[in-house]
Amino acid sequence: MNNDFTFAIIKPNAVRTGKTGPILAMINEGGFEITAMRMVRLTKSQAESFYSIHQGKSFFEGLIDFMISGPVVVMILRHENAVADFRKLIGATDPGKAEPGTIRKIFAVSVQMNAVHGSDSSESAQIEANFFFSGIERFNT
Ligand code: CMP
């Protein structure tokens, strides 16, 4: 296995409703190795900073309120072709458009409360992993 990785979040709607375990099981069954993981409650400024690329969009304020509404699980996932393969596993941002059997199809309740986040590129994965994890907390990524 190479050192290709992505960054993922299990979002508040999924954590709140007890879906952390089932989602982690799907991640493991998908062949991803969890190389760092933590449960955190984001502050408003952390959430705004993490999603700063979406600042100004119509859904931004709602997204921030949602992301700080409860704890999330943040993690780094190692896998060959990690970014693309994880996005395949989670399905489209809009669960209405997600393929059957994907994490979002199963666990999302709306576009906003779409159960999981996955980085959209290797560059984003690097930035997002660094946002939450220091080197000492990361195993092999
Ligand atoms: P995520 O993959 O975390 O990236 C940005 C998030 O913004 C996205 O998942 C959704 O939770 C949210 N989002 C994106 N588009 C919309 C939209 N049209 N309406 C509401 N929320 C959105």
Side-chain angles (χ1 to χ4, degrees):
M1 172 152 340
N2 67 16
N3 282 340
D4 200 1
F5 70 89
T6 191
F7 171 81
I9 303 178
I10 303 179
K11 297 187 179 185
N13 68 295
V15 173
R16 190 180 297 125
T17 56
K19 303 303 189 308
T20 301
I23 289 173
L24 289 176
M26 286 183 72
I27 290 171
N28 281 327
E29 283 156 18
F32 291 84
E33 182 187 355
I34 300 169
T35 62
M37 181 165 66
R38 192 187 315 120
M39 183 179 272
V40 291
R41 180 92 187 239
L42 294 175
T43 64
K44 190 164 192 217
S45 71
Q46 283 172 326
E48 286 172 344
S49 173
F50 182 82
Y51 278 122
S52 60
I53 195 164
H54 297 298
Q55 204 131 23
K57 293 184 184 164
S58 58
F59 60 82
F60 183 72
E61 295 300 333
L63 173 63
I64 299 309
D65 285 346
F66 164 56
M67 289 302 292
I68 65 173
S69 68
V72 298
V73 176
V74 294
M75 65 192 107
I76 300 174
L77 303 173
R78 196 164 67 143
H79 193 270
E80 211 171 280
N81 203 24
V83 169
D85 282 2
F86 189 66
R87 286 172 78 83
K88 209 177 292 170
L89 180 69
I90 66 180
T93 304
D94 177 352
K97 296 179 182 152
E99 292 290 322
T102 58
I103 292 176
R104 283 172 170 159
K105 190 68 176 184
I106 297 167
F107 298 109
V109 294
S110 66
V111 183
Q112 179 189 81
M113 299 187 192
N114 61 357
V116 283
H117 165 81
S119 304
D120 63 6
S121 67
S122 291
E123 293 71 30
S124 299
Q126 189 72 252
I127 292 165
E128 293 174 357
N130 287 340
F131 190 93
F132 286 100
F133 296 103
S134 65
I136 201 167
E137 296 172 293
R138 295 161 63 161
F139 173 72
N140 243 347
T141 50

